[in-house]
Amino acid sequence: MKFFLIVAKGKKQGMPIPIEIDLFLIGSGPVCQLRAEHESIGEQHCALVTRGRKVFVTDLDSGQPSFVNGEVLAPGIEWPLHPRDILEVGPLKFMVQHREKALSQRDLEEWALSCLDQNSERKRDSSKEDDDFHSKQYEAASSAAAAILDGLNAQRGEVKGHLRVSREGQITLVRVNHVYLVEDSELALVKHELYEQLDHTNLRVLIDMKNVKRMSSQAAEMFAGFRIWLRPKGSRLAFCRLRPEFESMFKGYPVTQDMAMFSDKPKALTSKW
């Protein structure tokens, strides 16, 4: 069986990219089989691993997230890919597909375009047969993911779509999975998870901003409001690995002017705040 990434958007939409080796790297670095230069693509961003008749994707924790069907992948976890799954790496978007039989280049390109067309038709039609098929795929992927996340939770904390929450000694570490904290809808979801997961007393909450490359003033206000919400609970808030412009934004709000902000995580974990 041969696996392909079909370019799903842009000037090269419909172009099939064969996965011809067992370990296929995507990123901006020279060792990658699929290379693209962009600020939201890490040097070694993610890896596709082929084992027999199955293919898996692993986010390589480059500081930039990878997405499958719109869901952020937890770094270091092998995620099974199925036909018609959508893989997103920075601005790149691919459909995953496979073929049993070889085709000429022209026929291969026509086949790839037809896969994209069929996917669009399925989305429009929403037929019961397709719903059942995707439901089975979703259940299988969810079961696999649940087993993976159960093991991960025991070691690294709870992984959510927007946040990763874990414990480092006496500190509750919250890592933001998003690259951009800009859209109101996304901020609402992040806020909901913060308030839901950290509704406890006497916490030391450290927000790790390693992944975040852009943040709006609304996001800064959200975190300022979160600090106010924590205070009556006897909890403290600090940030690490945030960009200088974010520090300036926080210093613009009275409630976050004196908030502890660290350039690296080890220093934040060992300091008193």
Side-chain angles (χ1 to χ4, degrees), residues 12-250:
K12 296 184 179 180
Q13 183 173 352
M15 184 178 75
I17 301 171
I19 309 301
E20 298 178 321
I21 56 178
D22 292 341
L23 179 61
F24 186 94
L25 297 178
I26 300 175
S28 60
V31 301
C32 297
Q33 284 71 40
L34 196 162
R35 294 191 295 274
E37 294 286 342
H38 193 274
E39 63 178 6
S40 59
I41 297 179
E43 185 174 0
Q44 293 182 31
H45 196 112
C46 65
L48 299 179
V49 179
T50 303
R51 297 196 185 93
R53 300 174 66 85
K54 295 183 179 180
V55 64
F56 304 84
V57 62
T58 301
D59 182 271
L60 298 178
D61 201 14
S62 67
Q64 305 290 353
S66 307
F67 300 83
V68 172
N69 299 329
E71 295 294 324
V72 178
L73 298 183
I77 301 300
E78 282 196 348
W79 188 270
L81 292 174
H82 303 86
R84 294 193 294 276
D85 278 352
I86 299 297
L87 171 65
E88 294 181 75
V89 178
L92 306 179
K93 188 174 183 179
F94 307 98
M95 175 190 285
V96 179
Q97 269 294 2
H98 66 257
R99 276 197 64 83
E100 296 282 357
K101 298 180 180 180
L103 292 173
S104 67
Q105 184 60 32
R106 180 176 178 179
D107 290 341
L108 187 62
E109 291 172 358
E110 290 181 357
W111 165 78
L113 283 170
S114 71
C115 289
L116 294 180
D117 291 341
Q118 290 170 13
N119 194 57
S120 297
E121 288 296 329
R122 286 188 177 90
K123 288 180 179 179
R124 286 196 293 267
D125 294 343
S126 299
S127 66
K128 185 179 185 303
E129 180 180 353
D130 288 324
D131 287 344
D132 290 343
F133 178 83
H134 287 295
S135 177
K136 290 176 181 178
Q137 277 195 323
Y138 179 80
E139 290 172 4
S142 297
S143 297
I148 290 169
L149 292 177
D150 284 345
L152 183 67
N153 289 345
Q155 301 175 23
R156 302 175 66 185
E158 186 175 2
V159 177
K160 293 284 188 179
H162 307 280
L163 305 172
R164 177 195 292 167
V165 181
S166 60
R167 293 284 296 181
E168 294 273 354
Q170 298 300 312
I171 293 178
T172 301
L173 182 63
V174 179
R175 182 165 170 176
V176 180
N177 287 334
H178 285 288
V179 176
Y180 304 116
L181 288 177
V182 177
E183 297 293 334
D184 289 343
S185 58
E186 294 294 338
L187 292 178
L189 292 171
V190 171
K191 179 179 178 179
H192 174 75
E193 289 186 11
L194 283 171
Y195 282 63
E196 181 181 53
Q197 296 186 61
L198 301 169
D199 190 12
H200 302 284
T201 58
N202 300 316
L203 296 178
R204 292 178 65 197
V205 180
L206 177 63
I207 307 288
D208 185 350
M209 299 282 280
K210 175 185 175 182
N211 290 335
V212 182
K213 306 302 181 188
R214 187 181 303 166
M215 185 176 76
S216 67
S217 58
Q218 288 82 0
E221 289 178 7
M222 176 193 70
F223 285 121
F226 179 59
R227 191 186 193 201
I228 294 173
W229 181 77
L230 286 175
R231 280 178 170 175
K233 301 175 181 294
S235 297
R236 288 168 282 173
L237 180 66
F239 284 77
C240 70
R241 298 199 283 190
L242 69 171
R243 295 191 166 203
E245 60 266 31
F246 300 162
E247 293 188 26
S248 299
M249 293 172 71
F250 283 130

